[in-house]
Amino acid sequence: MAKKRIGILTSGGDCAGLNAAIRAVTRRAIDGFGWEVVGIRNGTLGLISEPIEAEILDKQTFSGVLLRQGGTFLGSSTKGDPFAFKMPDGSVKDRSMEFVEGFRSLNLDGLIGIGGDGSMKILNRLCELGDIPFIGIPKTIDNDVALTEFTIGFTTAVNVAVDALDRLLPTAASHHRVMVLEVMGRDAGHIALHAGIAGGADVILLPEIAYDMDKVAEKIRDVYENEKRSHALVVCSEAIKTSQGQTVMHANEEGKMNYGGVGHEIGGQIAKMTGADTRVTVLGHLQRGGTPAMRDRLIASAFGVRAVDLMAQGKTNCMVAWQHREVVDVPLDEVVKRYKKIDVTGTLVHTARGLGICLGD
Amino acid sequence: MAKKRIGILTSGGDCAGLNAAIRAVTRRAIDGFGWEVVGIRNGTLGLISEPIEAEILDKQTFSGVLLRQGGTFLGSSTKGDPFAFKMPDGSVKDRSMEFVEGFRSLNLDGLIGIGGDGSMKILNRLCELGDIPFIGIPKTIDNDVALTEFTIGFTTAVNVAVDALDRLLPTAASHHRVMVLEVMGRDAGHIALHAGIAGGADVILLPEIAYDMDKVAEKIRDVYENEKRSHALVVCSEAIKTSQGQTVMHANEEGKMNYGGVGHEIGGQIAKMTGADTRVTVLGHLQRGGTPAMRDRLIASAFGVRAVDLMAQGKTNCMVAWQHREVVDVPLDEVVKRYKKIDVTGTLVHTARGLGICLGD
Amino acid sequence: MAKKRIGILTSGGDCAGLNAAIRAVTRRAIDGFGWEVVGIRNGTLGLISEPIEAEILDKQTFSGVLLRQGGTFLGSSTKGDPFAFKMPDGSVKDRSMEFVEGFRSLNLDGLIGIGGDGSMKILNRLCELGDIPFIGIPKTIDNDVALTEFTIGFTTAVNVAVDALDRLLPTAASHHRVMVLEVMGRDAGHIALHAGIAGGADVILLPEIAYDMDKVAEKIRDVYENEKRSHALVVCSEAIKTSQGQTVMHANEEGKMNYGGVGHEIGGQIAKMTGADTRVTVLGHLQRGGTPAMRDRLIASAFGVRAVDLMAQGKTNCMVAWQHREVVDVPLDEVVKRYKKIDVTGTLVHTARGLGICLGD
Amino acid sequence: MAKKRIGILTSGGDCAGLNAAIRAVTRRAIDGFGWEVVGIRNGTLGLISEPIEAEILDKQTFSGVLLRQGGTFLGSSTKGDPFAFKMPDGSVKDRSMEFVEGFRSLNLDGLIGIGGDGSMKILNRLCELGDIPFIGIPKTIDNDVALTEFTIGFTTAVNVAVDALDRLLPTAASHHRVMVLEVMGRDAGHIALHAGIAGGADVILLPEIAYDMDKVAEKIRDVYENEKRSHALVVCSEAIKTSQGQTVMHANEEGKMNYGGVGHEIGGQIAKMTGADTRVTVLGHLQRGGTPAMRDRLIASAFGVRAVDLMAQGKTNCMVAWQHREVVDVPLDEVVKRYKKIDVTGTLVHTARGLGICLGD
């Protein structure tokens, strides 16, 4: 096989396990195939910057330390859609061809992009535009990328949320309080559902299931009256809908600070409707960072190795995915068309209901 | 020595290590002296409730599990000042004699109270009123009780804050952001100072040192321009003062929800003054809970054993304290007159400045 | 549906997440169906004891605390095969009918047993003998039960092993040492393979792949000479085979202490063959305990709810299993006939090789 | 003040927090005084190597990442006594003047050495020999350096041991076992005493208190018979003495593997004398590594800043120390003459006894 030179970038919100994936790509490409790997800085921005921000990665970059570190040492960006790039003067410009030219100027034979749902769509279009052999590696704390059981960063994020519930329970019990925890998940409630079940929540509110505040209050009252305890844990996703169709959202727009949204709204209503002493915690950016969980390091490593293998086989324009204990590859077109919401008829929703957890309906 | 029967209660905001102290008191009283120990529920409330809420504690209550658990299994209350008790109808009533009568009705020979600064004052007055032999054990995540190096709960709270900084650093670095972390500490900034140094903060804002926003912005700019990194960590206490004497506070009044205060104020100004992409995290109740840190379990155990010993020696109306690797006893009168703020000429402030950390001045 | 009364027991070596499964079974049975749940103490021993050791479980037993606690509050036993019970005098006795009679004396309609491979076989035979409707829930830190992707306790055990590698790396690097970590896994190397990949090992030795000591030494030398670092991490399962067919085992027989076995053997050979300063750590019982990982709590909860549902549907003599993000039920006969070893052609073995990890061959 | 150029090295067994101290020294020297800092590799070895192994440290070396990382990125050595250097041929040679010459060849104005008891003695002699201005920073997981309340690395080591006890308790309880945990501490039992109290041990064996096996067995029997639980936790230091004066030691000599010693001896005797099912865990090198505890980062930072300040004031040949919440400096002569054993009449021994913990006597 001809010696190749491939690029790698991380795009969108950061999470834990990205460095493990970059490490795996680099090790596999160098050791397995003798290729050269170029790390592109700050997602798509690195290729449209002047000068281009990129560097050759070698194996020594990847000490065991990096494997254990959250975030991405290449940097990432949430502002890098080259098709609709926001210029400093506020105007929006199509810079997609600059991306393609940046890529070509590096003399690369292919691109591996680590990103979420949104990034996959953009990278897919960019690579079609530039006829760039592309392989995607799915990451996002929200776990909402289609066709893969796990995305990089999801397990760490849920662990952080469970850890928070483990810390909130004793203080809730000591002061007979309701503790509301707002977690990330704007379109899919995977973090809330996993963390709520594992962390012993009494109520879990999700984007996928419209909630009725009367049901929530009824559950809290039932806990206080019938379970011989006077404290409760509530987990809610950052964007949920009432059963009347209203959306309640976390007010965290791009560039804005994290003022309370959903969590405080729900907490305020619980306090008003039940009289329970209620406190709210917004987990926010804590969910992104820190030492990656074992599973995130594991799937990141598996994804990275397989992505290079696929590139070597010339099987591109696909995304690696985790299905049934194995890494597989799935067509990018299929991925970007779909979206992985919680299956409301699936095991975890059934488990939550079976444990007596109120899902707001 | 005559067989005694003593009461124990936990008062004020909960923290990690309270159960370890109750365990030590109970073990020492039963095994060492053959006494009976009565656990009073929900702080001072347990003695003014009808009926009185209390139970005899035995050694079996205290499995190793309890030692490892945050909060207080006896319950606590932040609303239990019997001298100025807020009645359901909104009126304020002096219920101090009810407390004394409640105590007497349990046939107790003495009281051990675990509390912070405020609780010590109230318990001291109550015990003077009722001529109750009293020994205090200091706890508070804020570490602001006079005459003791450590209070129960402080180390755990700082650990949680450092853990948060460890999680925020990788995401700050990945996205070139300033991360602001608001921690507890209304009157004393011990959590912020300890966590900021240990967690590698660039800026630490404390109640004890008035801050000048220009200095903060200058530091952030310096980091971005001169330290070859484009991210920074800022820690601020929940109540700080500007150099013009204005107070900026966390809006968390009793019974209110945790809407953002200081953290968002500071974050907003940093964003405005430096243009840096800034995010804010309010740690809140996460600091109270969870598995107690080693040192909290250790001093709680030492405090509990010594409190019983002092009761056995008839040496009461004092508080146990940690000084220079030993537990000592200090007069309650001295404790309640003073307040342990950060020594702005001490080692840690000097260390922070020596590391180049901006303290706002 | 008629009101039922079901028994639940935990059998074999303990692990993290058992309490979460018992909690889920109890909550679902009581809340969902109004049944009674009887907890049997110490695995099969509880039913052949005189008197029988069992108790009615109620929902209040299962505070959030228990969900977070390792081990099994019902107790377990590794010595409870009633078909070949070792009597105090050393003789072996068939006590299987005592088990059946014990079960009947409790007036139970069915049994839910949480156990590993060995326990499933024994419980299956006992229930056939006594015509007892039985549902199995798979647990074992080794993850070697057939037909399920995860067993309860596995994720926690791997996390502990990764945590150990995270602690060993800095000291290895500081002193230029090879650190050998021996983990559990007598017949299947899932812990070693998962932990080794996620923890950045250079060598992983598994029961499924015979090792050649020359290859191991060659890898260590290569790391020292070509990777610009003079330290390495080696993970080995507690029972492995040389390429000449000899078995090297951890000398931990039933009732014996944990004297070093495999780890020290491998470490000694590495030191001898490469001259590298080598140290050995045997992780042992640390892998069983502690706060359960999120995933263990999650699948334990899902398994517990489903086991009760199956009992309600009269679908017994099966085991619940995790397959492709869902809980399913599989025939017990199929489970006990098979054994889940590492798939040496699967994703993780390929990933390990792709990262340049030496698997001994 | 004249611009200086100082050297820094870490000597002896590594521990968590060393990087935090190097970071603080470098930041203070550069930012505070405009000095140059030279990092010497592998303890004293770096100066007697050919060529000398050293490098100029700059502030950028010390990202927040390094603060959070265990071990020492400069490397250390336990084999570097230049006064009695073991040569490859087995002979012993005095290489102390080579050290002095190495130091001089780097044009350094002073040396900051981070080490334990043994390293302080050697470095003190070397610096007297070479008339080198020297300041020591105390580190050792054993906490046995005189005149300082804390040494760098101690808190992390105790935390690891407590964490181990937290993991051993649930499995001990599930299987009704005695769990023996062997921790480090050859001459002083600080780790064992701190961890044993904080981790809820029933027995703690220390180098400072000769043990009587009958007392240990009696305690275990008492726990099983009178405390309504049938499990126990035992912590022992790696070198202890029987009341007949025999020494029982961990067989871990320099260059040897960690075969079981004390822990297995004690475990074997408990099993024999009480019949209790007993298991042993040797914690070993896990105690050295991992993310440093908050307190280790904190005192390391304070020590590093102060050491540079002292150098600037020309106050050398001393060691920084932590006393009563402040960093102070103490004469090196005093430090190396003494040794900090556990005070058997102090608070922690009294606390242990007060909790009913058997100390073997």
mmCIF file of all heavy atoms in Angstrom, chain C residues 267-282:
data_model
loop_
_atom_site.group_PDB
_atom_site.id
_atom_site.type_symbol
_atom_site.label_atom_id
_atom_site.label_comp_id
_atom_site.label_asym_id
_atom_site.label_seq_id
_atom_site.Cartn_x
_atom_site.Cartn_y
_atom_site.Cartn_z
ATOM 1 N N GLY C 267 6.737 -10.698 36.345
ATOM 2 C CA GLY C 267 7.630 -9.605 36.730
ATOM 3 C C GLY C 267 9.067 -10.083 36.881
ATOM 4 O O GLY C 267 10.012 -9.420 36.417
ATOM 5 N N GLY C 268 9.222 -11.229 37.513
ATOM 6 C CA GLY C 268 10.565 -11.773 37.706
ATOM 7 C C GLY C 268 11.252 -12.055 36.375
ATOM 8 O O GLY C 268 12.434 -11.749 36.185
ATOM 9 N N GLN C 269 10.496 -12.591 35.448
ATOM 10 C CA GLN C 269 11.090 -12.914 34.151
ATOM 11 C C GLN C 269 11.431 -11.656 33.354
ATOM 12 O O GLN C 269 12.455 -11.604 32.668
ATOM 13 C CB GLN C 269 10.150 -13.818 33.352
ATOM 14 C CG GLN C 269 10.028 -15.212 33.986
ATOM 15 C CD GLN C 269 9.476 -16.238 32.996
ATOM 16 O OE1 GLN C 269 9.674 -16.123 31.788
ATOM 17 N NE2 GLN C 269 8.795 -17.250 33.532
ATOM 18 N N ILE C 270 10.559 -10.656 33.451
ATOM 19 C CA ILE C 270 10.868 -9.407 32.745
ATOM 20 C C ILE C 270 12.168 -8.815 33.285
ATOM 21 O O ILE C 270 13.044 -8.393 32.532
ATOM 22 C CB ILE C 270 9.702 -8.400 32.881
ATOM 23 C CG1 ILE C 270 8.519 -8.855 32.032
ATOM 24 C CG2 ILE C 270 10.141 -6.992 32.463
ATOM 25 C CD1 ILE C 270 7.260 -8.018 32.223
ATOM 26 N N ALA C 271 12.276 -8.771 34.627
ATOM 27 C CA ALA C 271 13.481 -8.207 35.241
ATOM 28 C C ALA C 271 14.719 -8.968 34.773
ATOM 29 O O ALA C 271 15.745 -8.380 34.425
ATOM 30 C CB ALA C 271 13.353 -8.262 36.766
ATOM 31 N N LYS C 272 14.604 -10.297 34.746
ATOM 32 C CA LYS C 272 15.741 -11.133 34.378
ATOM 33 C C LYS C 272 16.113 -10.971 32.909
ATOM 34 O O LYS C 272 17.287 -10.823 32.545
ATOM 35 C CB LYS C 272 15.388 -12.601 34.661
ATOM 36 C CG LYS C 272 16.582 -13.498 34.922
ATOM 37 C CD LYS C 272 16.124 -14.869 35.410
ATOM 38 C CE LYS C 272 16.318 -15.915 34.320
ATOM 39 N NZ LYS C 272 15.656 -17.198 34.667
ATOM 40 N N MET C 273 15.109 -10.959 32.061
ATOM 41 C CA MET C 273 15.378 -10.960 30.623
ATOM 42 C C MET C 273 15.751 -9.588 30.071
ATOM 43 O O MET C 273 16.442 -9.481 29.063
ATOM 44 C CB MET C 273 14.170 -11.525 29.862
ATOM 45 C CG MET C 273 13.958 -13.006 30.146
ATOM 46 S SD MET C 273 12.412 -13.641 29.436
ATOM 47 C CE MET C 273 12.810 -13.686 27.680
ATOM 48 N N THR C 274 15.216 -8.532 30.704
ATOM 49 C CA THR C 274 15.464 -7.199 30.142
ATOM 50 C C THR C 274 16.356 -6.337 31.022
ATOM 51 O O THR C 274 16.837 -5.298 30.574
ATOM 52 C CB THR C 274 14.138 -6.417 29.960
ATOM 53 O OG1 THR C 274 13.615 -6.113 31.264
ATOM 54 C CG2 THR C 274 13.125 -7.206 29.190
ATOM 55 N N GLY C 275 16.539 -6.743 32.270
ATOM 56 C CA GLY C 275 17.299 -5.913 33.189
ATOM 57 C C GLY C 275 16.525 -4.723 33.709
ATOM 58 O O GLY C 275 17.030 -3.932 34.514
ATOM 59 N N ALA C 276 15.277 -4.589 33.276
ATOM 60 C CA ALA C 276 14.483 -3.431 33.713
ATOM 61 C C ALA C 276 14.101 -3.577 35.176
ATOM 62 O O ALA C 276 13.785 -4.669 35.648
ATOM 63 C CB ALA C 276 13.231 -3.304 32.849
ATOM 64 N N ASP C 277 14.142 -2.473 35.870
ATOM 65 C CA ASP C 277 13.687 -2.395 37.251
ATOM 66 C C ASP C 277 12.177 -2.642 37.237
ATOM 67 O O ASP C 277 11.420 -1.893 36.616
ATOM 68 C CB ASP C 277 14.014 -0.974 37.756
ATOM 69 C CG ASP C 277 13.977 -0.878 39.265
ATOM 70 O OD1 ASP C 277 14.003 -1.920 39.944
ATOM 71 O OD2 ASP C 277 13.946 0.257 39.762
ATOM 72 N N THR C 278 11.720 -3.704 37.880
ATOM 73 C CA THR C 278 10.336 -4.147 37.734
ATOM 74 C C THR C 278 9.651 -4.278 39.087
ATOM 75 O O THR C 278 10.258 -4.737 40.046
ATOM 76 C CB THR C 278 10.307 -5.502 36.994
ATOM 77 O OG1 THR C 278 10.987 -5.355 35.743
ATOM 78 C CG2 THR C 278 8.899 -5.974 36.729
ATOM 79 N N ARG C 279 8.411 -3.854 39.167
ATOM 80 C CA ARG C 279 7.625 -3.989 40.387
ATOM 81 C C ARG C 279 6.278 -4.614 40.068
ATOM 82 O O ARG C 279 5.763 -4.441 38.956
ATOM 83 C CB ARG C 279 7.381 -2.629 41.046
ATOM 84 C CG ARG C 279 8.628 -1.957 41.576
ATOM 85 C CD ARG C 279 9.184 -2.687 42.787
ATOM 86 N NE ARG C 279 10.322 -1.983 43.371
ATOM 87 C CZ ARG C 279 11.581 -2.051 42.925
ATOM 88 N NH1 ARG C 279 11.875 -2.781 41.860
ATOM 89 N NH2 ARG C 279 12.541 -1.398 43.546
ATOM 90 N N VAL C 280 5.698 -5.303 41.049
ATOM 91 C CA VAL C 280 4.463 -6.047 40.818
ATOM 92 C C VAL C 280 3.378 -5.618 41.804
ATOM 93 O O VAL C 280 3.667 -5.416 42.983
ATOM 94 C CB VAL C 280 4.723 -7.561 40.982
ATOM 95 C CG1 VAL C 280 3.434 -8.357 40.802
ATOM 96 C CG2 VAL C 280 5.792 -8.019 39.999
ATOM 97 N N THR C 281 2.161 -5.474 41.309
ATOM 98 C CA THR C 281 1.012 -5.202 42.174
ATOM 99 C C THR C 281 -0.076 -6.236 41.880
ATOM 100 O O THR C 281 -0.399 -6.484 40.723
ATOM 101 C CB THR C 281 0.448 -3.786 41.900
ATOM 102 O OG1 THR C 281 1.487 -2.832 42.131
ATOM 103 C CG2 THR C 281 -0.729 -3.472 42.808
ATOM 104 N N VAL C 282 -0.599 -6.836 42.933
ATOM 105 C CA VAL C 282 -1.698 -7.793 42.797
ATOM 106 C C VAL C 282 -2.959 -7.109 43.290
ATOM 107 O O VAL C 282 -3.063 -6.769 44.472
ATOM 108 C CB VAL C 282 -1.418 -9.071 43.613
ATOM 109 C CG1 VAL C 282 -2.585 -10.050 43.481
ATOM 110 C CG2 VAL C 282 -0.113 -9.713 43.167
#
